[in-house]
Amino acid sequence: MYGAIEAGGTKFVCAVADENLKITERISLPTTTPEETLAQVFEFFDRFDLEAIGIGSFGPIDTTIGSPTYGHILSTPKLAWANYDFLGAVKSRYNIPVGWTTDVNGSALGEYGLGAGKGLDSILYLTVGTGIGGGAIIDGKLREGLEMGHILLKKHALDDFSGTCPYHGGCLEGLAAGPAIGERYGIKGAELGPEHEAWDMEAYYLGQALMNYVLTLNPQRIILGGGVMKQSQLFPKVRHELELLMQGYINLPDLNTFVVPPALGDDAGITGALLLAKNSK
Ligand code: ADP
Ligand code: ZN
């Protein structure tokens, strides 16, 4: 059996699966302190005979093999978790291989292996939620260490919002993540109707970001997940913006199959963590 942890800033999802990665049991618990949360995680996993565990974690985390803080959560506004040796804690509890990557890379791995990227060599998974982050698998290899949410964009002519990013103000995340939409309009994105102008502005920014990713990473498919992308009217708008910006400079594939939602839905992350477990043996 394999174990998987999708460690988010708000909640942890733990699952166990059989050799075919079919999930047989799962739990969801709130993210409180490392001691409290991990105690519940261990209580769950202790009931199974696991061969390996995979972790996709909120961060920033250290994924540089050989680094003294490899496996740690680094600086985070969730202070109880700052500098916490998450991987070390799991490894010392279970003497089995433990795979370790970021939450968004976990989702990318899940979609690549068993979702919308199945059968392809190069994909990009972008999450548009509380933050914006990308996980890229290029020629079959996961690229660690990308921070694709903080790229700079051209501001929309009608946008007078300065952005939420504490580092850059109006980077992609600062202008287009869920909290930016909420602050710009003074109402949560989920409560704005599908016809609201917010979605045209959102697509304007996401289209620019995708143009940059297409030109630099050349993925065969781009999967857009996260809470904001639950607004499904965004998909045709983003495809349109991408096509408009590209101006035919390179031939884009059929956009309806190029820019897509996650096939695994909210299970992309936990599925990726299971694949990570299986591959870490
Ligand atoms: P996280 O990024 O924290 O893992 P989510 O991907 O669910 O979690 O993203 C949460 C963000 O997405 C919040 O800013 C929230 O306002 C926004 N969001 C969630 N659901 C929707 C929705 N249906 N429409 C628009 N925005 C949403
Ligand atoms: Zn930024």
Side-chain angles (χ1 to χ4, degrees):
M1 298 208 87
Y2 299 110
I5 307 173
E6 183 187 13
T10 339
K11 70 175 193 313
F12 269 49
V13 177
C14 301
V16 291
D18 63 19
E19 296 297 317
N20 300 318
L21 299 189
K22 189 180 155 21
I23 294 175
T24 51
E25 260 191 79
R26 76 158 81 198
I27 54 160
S28 174
L29 34 107
T31 310
T32 58
T33 62
E35 294 71 27
E36 202 172 78
T37 306
L38 271 270
Q40 288 175 274
V41 169
F42 295 157
E43 196 183 305
F44 174 71
F45 285 137
D46 281 353
R47 295 163 40 223
F48 306 97
D49 184 20
L50 300 177
E51 290 165 68
I53 294 175
I55 306 173
S57 176
F58 75 99
I61 64 171
D62 191 342
T63 56
T64 306
I65 293 167
S67 156
T69 51
Y70 177 74
H72 291 224
I73 294 185
L74 302 171
S75 62
T76 158
K78 293 190 76 70
L79 290 178
W81 293 82
N83 307 310
Y84 180 66
D85 184 7
F86 188 176
L87 178 63
V90 176
K91 276 193 158 167
S92 60
R93 177 80 176 202
Y94 305 103
N95 193 21
I96 53 175
V98 184
W100 168 251
T101 196
T102 64
D103 46 7
V104 66
N105 282 348
S107 297
L109 283 172
E111 286 292 323
Y112 173 74
L114 295 167
K118 204 172 161 187
L120 302 178
D121 300 314
S122 300
I123 63 139
L124 168 64
Y125 179 95
L126 194 75
T127 180
V128 188
T130 305
I132 298 184
I137 293 153
I138 304 298
D139 297 329
K141 197 174 168 338
L142 179 67
R143 296 293 316 269
E144 297 279 4
L146 303 179
E147 288 292 349
M148 307 179 63
H150 294 267
I151 60 170
L152 295 180
L153 303 172
K154 190 164 69 180
K155 200 87 182 277
H156 191 288
L158 300 176
D159 190 6
D160 53 17
F161 181 60
S162 57
T164 61
C165 178
Y167 298 93
H168 319 112
C171 63
L172 170 64
E173 177 173 299
L175 292 172
I181 301 171
E183 282 189 37
R184 182 183 289 114
Y185 298 102
I187 166 178
K188 279 193 170 177
E191 282 149 34
L192 295 170
E195 307 297 334
H196 198 279
E197 63 184 33
W199 309 119
D200 292 320
M201 191 172 290
E202 183 70 11
Y204 176 81
Y205 290 130
L206 292 176
Q208 284 191 57
L210 263 49
M211 160 116 169
N212 288 319
Y213 304 145
V214 168
L215 294 174
T216 50
L217 296 169
N218 191 25
Q220 292 163 293
R221 185 162 292 158
I222 298 176
I223 301 153
L224 300 178
V228 173
M229 296 312 300
K230 298 260 157 90
Q231 300 286 335
S232 57
Q233 73 281 6
L234 275 173
F235 282 88
K237 290 181 192 289
V238 172
R239 292 177 189 126
H240 179 69
E241 289 291 342
L242 172 59
E243 189 168 36
L244 214 59
L245 283 168
M246 197 60 90
Q247 289 289 313
Y249 177 64
I250 59 163
N251 267 332
L252 290 165
D254 174 1
L255 286 165
N256 292 322
T257 54
F258 186 54
V259 179
V260 300
L264 302 173
D266 293 335
D267 274 355
I270 200 73
T271 305
L274 284 168
L275 283 164
L276 200 58
K278 189 166 183 175
N279 294 337
S280 72
K281 278 209 308 174

